[in-house]
Amino acid sequence: AIWDIHPVAAMSPTVNEDVLEPGTRNKAWVLVRRPEGVISADCVRLEERPVDTDLEKDELLVRVEMLSVDAFIRTTLDQEGYHTGTPLNEVLPALGYGVVLKDGSGRRKPGTRVLGMLRAQTLSRVKSSQVSRVMPFVSPKHSLGLLGLTTGLTAWMGIFAVAR
């Protein structure tokens, strides 16, 4: 199965803690064909891409540290469905957390840990409005799992608010 390969570990980022080395390339899992039924390894490919560090004022460059493999990802691999379909040859969607390397506006300091739709890649260029700071009293791992939007909080609402 595709998820036997740890998505981030397999990508082995070549980025220091808060420094972007010249010539660093982004490693990303891209969708190359739509799955028919269960996803298989031939539906995706690990690609290296250049890193564009010339950011707009509302953009961040984030070094991805951990990704969450959520059920919603599968629904994005179809052309049409509950969630918007991922275009072919685009990076797979995935919630994750990581460290800000660069902020186009200069408002977020390098080293700030953020959470959001970073996608399955080592370096994510995202709109600053699409990520939030990781809560300091919650471990980043728990912010993706037990206290995460698509898992823990959804389950809690289902049990205590809907199923009452």
Side-chain angles (χ1 to χ4, degrees), residues 152-164:
L153 294 179
T154 301
W156 189 91
M157 288 297 291
I159 292 170
F160 294 105
V162 177
R164 251 197 266 186

Side-chain angles (χ1 to χ4, degrees), residues 100-121:
V100 173
L101 296 175
K102 187 175 178 183
D103 181 341
S105 71
R107 287 186 297 219
R108 288 203 172 126
K109 293 180 184 177
T112 302
R113 188 170 265 154
V114 294
L115 171 71
M117 179 60 73
L118 300 180
R119 302 191 167 272
Q121 57 191 343

Side-chain angles (χ1 to χ4, degrees), residues 6 32 54 66 68-69 80 118 124 130 132-133:
H6 186 276
V32 293
D54 188 22
M66 182 178 279
S68 179
V69 181
E80 296 177 10
L118 300 180
S124 183
Q130 295 177 328
S132 60
R133 286 187 68 148

